[in-house]
Amino acid sequence: MKKKRIFAWICIIFLVALYIADLVFALMNSDYAADLLKISLYATVVIPVLMYAVLTISRVLGYSEKDSEDPSDRSKKN
């Protein structure tokens, strides 16, 4: 559960940074501003979709922190 929470916080911070970048690029008066805005808007749409896909795949495959335990610990429990 802790890994999912960390991943979620990283996603939130990254998305906030993308939204700020969108705003900055929209307000910039430069030759490259339009291209940077297009790239940033694209990333704002595509990256959350990819993040959702990763979370969904991990849920479907049944990955949990129990699976990542040390194999030697499992033998001690039995």
Side-chain angles (χ1 to χ4, degrees):
M1 186 63 140
K2 188 173 183 176
K3 289 181 183 180
K4 286 183 184 179
R5 211 173 268 202
I6 292 170
F7 183 71
W9 275 106
I10 290 171
C11 293
I12 290 169
I13 292 168
F14 191 71
L15 287 174
V16 168
L18 277 174
Y19 295 142
I20 292 170
D22 289 341
L23 180 65
V24 169
F25 294 146
L27 298 176
M28 276 178 42
N29 190 11
S30 171
D31 296 335
Y32 302 110
D35 293 333
L36 292 172
L37 180 62
K38 288 177 191 176
I39 293 168
S40 183
L41 287 173
Y42 176 78
T44 302
V45 173
V46 171
I47 290 175
V49 171
L50 292 175
M51 290 177 184
Y52 177 76
V54 167
L55 289 174
T56 303
I57 289 170
S58 69
R59 188 179 317 130
V60 168
L61 294 178
Y63 176 78
S64 67
E65 289 192 23
K66 292 178 184 175
D67 295 339
S68 64
E69 288 180 359
D70 189 21
S72 63
D73 291 341
R74 291 183 189 164
S75 62
K76 292 177 186 174
K77 291 179 183 178
N78 293 332

